[in-house]
Amino acid sequence: MTALERLATGLRSALGAGRVISDRQELRTYECDGLAHYKVTPGLVVLPRDAAECARTVKACVEAGVPFVARGSGTGLSGGALPHADGVLIVTSKMRTIIEVAPDDERAVVEPGVINLHVTHAATPAGYYYAPDPSSQQICSIGGNVAENSGGAHCLKYGFTTNHVIGAQIVTPEGDLVELGGRAPDSPGYDLLGAFVGSEGTLGIATRVTVRLTRLPETVRTLLAAFRTTDEAGAATSAIIAAGVVPAAVEMMDALAIEAAEAAVACGYPAGAGAVLIVELDGPRAEVEAQFEQVTALCDGNGAFELRIAADPAERALFWKGRKSAFAAVGRISPDYIVQDGVIPRTALPEVLRRIGEVSRAHGVRVANVFHAGDGNLHPLVLFDDGVPGEADRAEEVSGAIIDLCIEYGGSITGEHGVGMDKAKYMPRMFTDDDLETMQLLRCAFDPAGLANPGKVFPTPRLCGEVPRRHKAGETTPAELF
């Protein structure tokens, strides 16, 4: 009997047979997250119902020396929840209780499997909502959002998940239940909670999360502006921010992304648009009205040929329908695609988009651009047909070239999707060896055995027992031992 088989027997005895999956066909359900480009069938899947069962599962993995990976709803786009073939996939989707909504404290306490949008549904009757809004907010879970430090369209004004998490109960990589942060706005000492949020399952598993609730704005105004080119739309974006206006969201889609959205959801964007901007302002009525006039004038002055203002919530939802469906919509125009997630300075948008177009044409690979223009967070969708020999390789080359462009312009290899499996190989392009060594020291402090989500984030693993020092020529490195 293998270590994994013995582990499965022990977990069935402790948790119940229905909570442990080992059937090969059932396991394939969990072979990838939202990035289907990478697939691994897990050795075992466990579905804990509470924090104690999650901790018991991790502790059993540690005792058996078996690696484990946490998974929420499986909507991630970087391969962060990609299973380990000889490990355990711990799925938190059954831990979905909203424990408390406390509007007087502007807080809510939820389990990791709670769906993002359900937090807002629970808080809305009291006049509050949960601000982070990934495009997958109808299905993505809070635990996954915490692991990836997810953002969303409205992160320009309201920030990312890390700005809205004030406490968490976690299972450490050694199987202990630990509290980080709390209900207070800030906790003394080292910011371990800040280190945990966005650590992609390498520092533990969240089993309870205390989130900040935001009061619903007095008014919301939404504008759809159509431009002939992405240059004009990019210039309008920079002009809006330069004027001192900070919208809740500024989103851009190019012609190919618009084509896909129209095919999928018939959003009715202006015909002939080379790019559209969705600009949303919220807050006190007087402030929003004044800023809205500025925004419409700036869009008009930078070449917008059509401006539409949402007259009611239904029209606002239609504006957002095309943008929110963009990733899935490209399936209407391409059998396969890679979603990228780089960041550049906002003022570099026109030039970088032109260079992405040049890379696209040089490789004969189409790229649809849909992104958070307000903070320069790009989401190029690299389209290809895996059934055509060589196309997948060319798509990978284009994807890598886009990441290189982001670094060249002083940006980042990821804004909100995380590093995961997909971008680990690009980490040395952005960080020095000393940078990566320092990061791995933190990881080893939490996970000395290296069992929590191994093979993610870092291009090569590190032996946690090794004393850190500079590598000398001719020596065998930790990476070479693997």
Side-chain angles (χ1 to χ4, degrees):
M1 184 180 289
T2 67
L4 202 58
E5 290 171 338
R6 287 194 297 273
L7 182 61
T9 299
L11 288 172
R12 284 194 180 96
S13 176
L15 307 181
R19 234 76 64 71
V20 181
I21 299 172
S22 58
D23 177 77
R24 185 73 178 175
Q25 287 302 111
E26 290 185 65
L27 290 173
R28 290 192 62 189
T29 302
Y30 303 93
E31 65 185 2
C32 68
D33 58 11
L35 184 67
H37 195 56
Y38 301 98
K39 293 182 180 180
V40 174
T41 303
L44 196 69
V45 169
V46 177
L47 299 116
R49 290 187 180 273
D50 56 36
E53 290 186 353
C54 188
R56 180 177 293 182
T57 302
V58 171
K59 196 172 285 289
C61 289
V62 173
E63 290 171 354
V66 171
F68 59 91
V69 177
R71 174 189 169 108
S73 295
T75 58
L77 293 168
S78 64
L82 191 73
H84 194 290
D86 298 313
V88 175
L89 187 68
I90 301 174
V91 181
T92 60
S93 58
K94 291 188 179 296
M95 299 171 64
R96 48 177 180 257
T97 301
I98 297 178
I99 298 167
E100 180 185 12
V101 176
D104 289 345
D105 293 331
E106 299 187 325
R107 307 283 183 266
V109 183
V110 304
E111 288 188 323
V114 170
I115 300 303
N116 175 293
L117 192 57
H118 291 180
V119 182
T120 289
H121 289 164
T124 297
Y128 285 85
Y129 74 109
Y130 181 60
D133 62 334
S135 293
S136 58
Q137 69 178 144
Q138 296 186 55
I139 51 173
C140 66
S141 64
I142 294 296
N145 292 172
V146 170
E148 300 294 338
N149 189 23
S150 302
H154 292 80
C155 61
L156 171 61
K157 181 175 181 178
Y158 293 102
F160 291 76
T161 297
T162 189
N163 303 110
H164 299 270
V165 172
I166 62 169
Q169 179 193 68
I170 72 166
V171 177
T172 71
E174 294 180 309
D176 299 318
L177 277 170
V178 172
E179 298 283 345
L180 302 179
R183 294 177 68 91
D186 196 11
S187 297
Y190 294 114
D191 186 13
L192 297 180
L193 180 64
F196 181 80
V197 177
S199 61
E200 304 189 33
T202 63
L203 304 185
I205 304 171
T207 51
R208 188 178 67 230
V209 184
T210 302
V211 300
R212 191 187 313 276
L213 298 178
T214 302
R215 183 169 286 280
L216 289 166
E218 181 182 2
T219 190
V220 178
R221 296 293 303 276
T222 309
L223 167 76
L224 179 72
F227 299 83
R228 297 296 181 191
T229 67
T230 54
D231 279 13
E232 292 174 345
T237 300
S238 292
I240 290 167
I241 305 299
V245 178
V246 181
V250 182
E251 299 290 295
M252 188 191 298
M253 298 170 66
D254 71 4
L256 194 53
I258 294 168
E259 177 189 338
E262 291 291 354
V265 298
C267 46
Y269 290 163
V276 296
L277 283 184
I278 299 173
V279 184
E280 188 157 280
L281 297 167
D282 66 12
R285 187 177 305 279
E287 177 183 290
V288 168
E289 294 301 333
Q291 291 183 340
F292 202 75
E293 289 183 11
Q294 287 181 273
V295 169
T296 53
L298 290 167
C299 287
D300 189 54
N302 281 279
F305 68 85
E306 186 173 339
L307 298 174
R308 296 181 186 175
I309 299 170
D312 52 42
E315 191 170 11
R316 177 193 176 212
L318 186 60
F319 287 179
W320 280 109
K321 189 175 183 181
R323 169 60 186 90
K324 291 281 189 178
S325 67
F327 288 178
V330 295
R332 294 296 188 99
I333 63 173
S334 177
D336 301 286
Y337 62 92
I338 298 171
V339 181
Q340 264 307 349
D341 169 49
V343 182
I344 58 171
R346 185 172 46 247
T347 52
L349 276 171
E351 186 173 350
V352 171
L353 290 174
R354 281 197 298 272
R355 291 190 62 182
I356 289 175
E358 292 168 3
V359 171
S360 169
R361 290 187 291 274
H363 287 78
V365 174
R366 295 181 299 165
V367 178
N369 289 290
V370 50
F371 53 93
H372 310 311
D375 57 5
N377 188 184
L378 304 178
H379 293 315
L381 298 154
V382 183
L383 313 183
F384 67 100
D385 184 348
D386 203 22
V388 177
E391 274 207 15
D393 291 337
R394 293 204 307 277
E396 285 279 8
E397 289 174 13
V398 169
S399 182
I402 291 171
I403 289 296
D404 286 339
L405 278 175
C406 292
I407 296 171
E408 179 185 336
Y409 281 82
S412 169
I413 65 173
T414 181
E416 57 181 347
H417 292 175
V419 177
M421 175 66 72
D422 187 45
K423 296 191 183 72
K425 58 182 174 290
Y426 300 119
M427 288 286 276
R429 302 188 192 182
M430 184 171 176
F431 298 104
T432 67
D433 289 344
D434 286 343
D435 291 335
L436 294 172
E437 177 71 19
T438 301
M439 293 181 203
Q440 295 229 47
L441 285 173
L442 175 65
R443 177 176 184 170
C444 289
F446 275 77
D447 182 22
L451 295 177
N453 210 8
K456 311 293 172 54
V457 181
F458 299 102
T460 53
R462 180 183 185 278
L463 294 178
C464 292
E466 182 194 13
V467 177
R469 60 187 176 86
R470 290 190 179 277
H471 171 65
K472 297 178 181 178
E475 288 185 333
T476 300
T477 66
E480 291 166 345
L481 297 175
F482 284 76

